[in-house]
Amino acid sequence: MTDTATAPLRGISPRTGEPVGDPVPVSTARDVDAAARAAARAFPVWSALPAADRAAALDAAADALDAAREELVAVADAETALGEVRLTGEVGRTSGQLRLFAEVLRDGGHVQAVLTPADPAAGRPDVRRMRQAIGPVAVFSASNFPFAFSVAGGDTASALAAGCPVVVKAHEGHPATSVAVARVVAGALRDAGAPDGVLGLVAGFEAGAALVRHPAVKAVGFTGSQSGGRALFDLAAARPEPIPFYGELGSVNPVVVLPDAAARRTAEIADGYARSLTLGTGQFCTNPGLLFVPEDGPLADAVAAAVGATATGAMLTAGMRDGYRARVAALDEAAGLVPLASGGTNDDSFAVAPRVWRCSLASFADRLDTLAEECFGPAGLVVTYPDPDALAEVLAALPGSLTGSVHATAGDTAAAARVAAVLRHRVGRLVHNGWPTGVAVCWAMHHGGPWPSTTAPLHTSVGATAIDRWLVPVAYQDWPDELLPPELQDANPLGIPRRVG
């Protein structure tokens, strides 16, 4: 990366295809270095703050986001065309995530304190273990959630809660939104007592790779394409000091409809599928890309009618629109696929129409490597199967996904158990009689899965345990009580959950 001047980034309206928003300067190598060094200087101060003080700062950032909601939504809508209702709700989700991690800090269980007293008779020393912040974190903003998975999204909120300063790489699809959010959140953190450098922002394609390579950065959070994520993952592993890379990449999110449910709930399932497939113009990482239905019965035809009655709008960027169109063209030419339905669209510059194809289970199995690839957008494949028992081998061969869903009635119980037993090893979240789009921000949520849905299936990017990614263990052996962190002292002055013995 060089310091050569580059044209500023501009948001492009998906409605008109014209530039919108203020130009955002592309970060130079010096800019990236300065942001990373500032985060490194902030780290010992921020990580040493009592958890209660970090929690108060996160609450202050959440309040500031809510107060700036109207301004932020206007900027984001111009750059993304996601609409006022969707974006207003997303700001609320983002501030809610910050407050959730403030609760996590006040609970204290995230440090996983364990005390094993000395046993002289066994020759065992006193050992006390807890988790601490890993260091400055780089976060890559996502295209499809300009608030909830971007500058102040779950990766940033969880890393800040852990005690890690964050440098965010802004997404090219909403640069002005990124700057506006960073200004609001960084200002609120500073006013709450956070050190300078606890939240930084860089912009531009080359800035991302430079950030991953920077020696001050100790971990990376990423949400985006499989190709982009894999390239950055390899960079993180190839550093002189390799660092963890937590990437959320591609996911096809299989949905299995069992025979009795297909017969009894035909219209409900067809309508639910069409809504889930087209929600947000299909630009969700949990979009139901594969639908398995019985080959006998009316469900496939009902799905065709439901999808054919839908209409979608613009995708977020011209690149996503073009990628969707190219994938659709390839599927139209794929052997064994029969076009099942095409929905409508509007006149927006980046608009695309929903598409669904049909194929048999045998045909799908023969071309699984290509047909089970994610198509980012409102496109789905309906796979018809002869019998639930025929599904097991194909489901077991699917690429890893964030979710797997099963629609069943009481009459399908035995088959549902068999399908779930297979799917649980290919997905991170199992949904029963529901649709995968929509991820609840809560303590129990797991938003992860086997490759290629993520690079680290142990971890989640949504929910309270997202903080685990930014914490590493340290054990204290035979240290005097007064020199131990409060979390490990005999009196447990913070009153946190601990395992003793």
Side-chain angles (χ1 to χ4, degrees):
M1 185 177 182
T2 69
D3 285 325
T4 305
T6 304
L9 297 177
R10 292 291 301 274
I12 304 296
S13 168
R15 297 184 177 102
T16 67
E18 298 297 324
V20 293
D22 295 331
V24 174
V26 170
S27 300
T28 65
R30 291 182 182 181
D31 295 331
V32 175
D33 181 62
R37 289 179 181 273
R41 290 191 297 271
F43 174 60
V45 179
W46 179 244
S47 61
L49 280 179
D53 292 347
R54 290 204 304 275
L58 294 182
D59 280 339
D63 292 343
L65 278 176
D66 288 340
R69 179 185 290 116
E70 186 174 343
E71 169 204 348
L72 297 175
V73 165
V75 175
D77 185 50
E79 291 187 315
T80 67
L82 289 174
E84 181 179 347
V85 173
R86 151 74 191 273
L87 290 169
T88 298
E90 193 180 326
V91 172
R93 171 178 169 156
T94 307
S95 60
Q97 287 176 150
L98 288 162
R99 294 189 180 99
L100 171 67
F101 285 106
E103 292 179 18
V104 170
L105 289 175
R106 294 186 178 103
D107 173 81
H110 67 287
V111 302
Q112 294 185 357
V114 181
L115 285 66
T116 302
D119 184 350
R124 187 182 67 213
D126 182 279
V127 181
R128 305 181 182 209
R129 180 184 187 271
M130 64 177 288
R131 301 195 300 178
Q132 61 183 0
I134 192 172
V137 167
V139 167
F140 284 72
S141 290
S143 61
N144 53 342
F145 285 88
F147 298 119
F149 279 83
S150 292
V151 173
D155 286 350
T156 297
S158 57
L160 290 174
C164 301
V166 175
V167 181
V168 180
K169 190 266 183 186
H171 196 277
E172 288 77 6
H174 45 79
T177 304
S178 298
V179 170
V181 172
R183 172 179 52 78
V184 169
V185 174
L189 293 171
R190 182 177 59 250
D191 292 346
D196 290 340
V198 77
L199 179 64
L201 183 72
V202 297
F205 180 80
E206 292 187 8
L211 196 56
V212 173
R213 292 191 183 103
H214 200 285
V217 171
K218 301 304 180 185
V220 181
F222 173 90
T223 300
S225 70
Q226 183 175 336
S227 59
R230 181 56 193 253
L232 294 171
F233 179 42
D234 291 345
L235 281 182
R239 288 175 27 143
E241 176 196 3
I243 58 174
F245 182 93
Y246 299 109
E248 181 193 316
L249 312 177
S251 185
V252 293
N253 307 301
V255 178
V256 176
V257 183
L258 293 171
D260 199 50
R264 294 177 182 271
R265 298 169 43 221
T266 304
E268 173 196 340
I269 290 172
D271 290 344
Y273 170 73
R275 288 195 300 271
S276 184
L277 182 76
T278 59
L279 184 66
T281 314
Q283 297 171 111
F284 282 76
C285 52
T286 52
N287 202 45
L290 292 175
L291 182 68
F292 294 88
V293 306
E295 62 184 24
D296 296 326
L299 183 54
D301 290 338
V303 165
V307 173
T310 64
T312 52
M315 297 197 77
L316 291 159
T317 69
M320 291 178 185
R321 174 201 62 194
D322 295 344
Y324 176 81
R325 290 177 176 174
R327 177 65 172 157
V328 164
L331 291 172
D332 277 338
E333 298 298 321
L337 295 193
V338 177
L340 187 62
S342 180
T345 188
N346 59 25
D347 294 328
D348 288 348
S349 181
F350 298 167
V352 298
R355 291 292 307 277
V356 179
W357 297 262
R358 177 176 181 167
C359 73
S360 68
L361 185 67
S363 181
F364 177 78
D366 287 343
R367 299 167 180 81
L368 190 144
D369 288 347
T370 56
L371 296 183
E373 293 179 5
E374 180 186 31
C375 178
F376 193 70
L381 179 59
V382 176
V383 181
T384 59
Y385 64 86
D387 179 85
D389 289 336
L391 287 170
E393 184 175 354
V394 171
L395 295 178
L398 290 177
S401 282
L402 297 167
T403 73
S405 305
V406 180
H407 285 264
T409 67
D412 295 313
T413 298
R418 293 193 298 272
V419 167
V422 178
L423 277 182
R424 65 185 296 206
H425 297 291
R426 305 308 307 141
V427 306
R429 175 166 57 107
L430 286 168
V431 180
H432 185 261
N433 282 346
W435 300 99
T437 40
V439 184
V441 180
C442 63
W443 285 75
M445 179 51 65
H446 182 73
H447 189 60
W451 174 267
S453 62
T454 73
T455 59
L458 176 64
H459 294 284
T460 179
S461 62
V462 179
T465 53
I467 196 172
D468 293 347
R469 298 170 295 169
W470 323 118
L471 296 167
V472 292
V474 58
Y476 291 80
Q477 181 172 318
D478 288 334
W479 276 75
D481 191 70
E482 65 272 15
L483 294 180
L484 287 168
E487 294 88 347
L488 297 179
Q489 291 175 4
D490 288 336
N492 193 11
L494 302 180
I496 65 170
R498 307 195 303 186
R499 178 185 178 89
V500 181

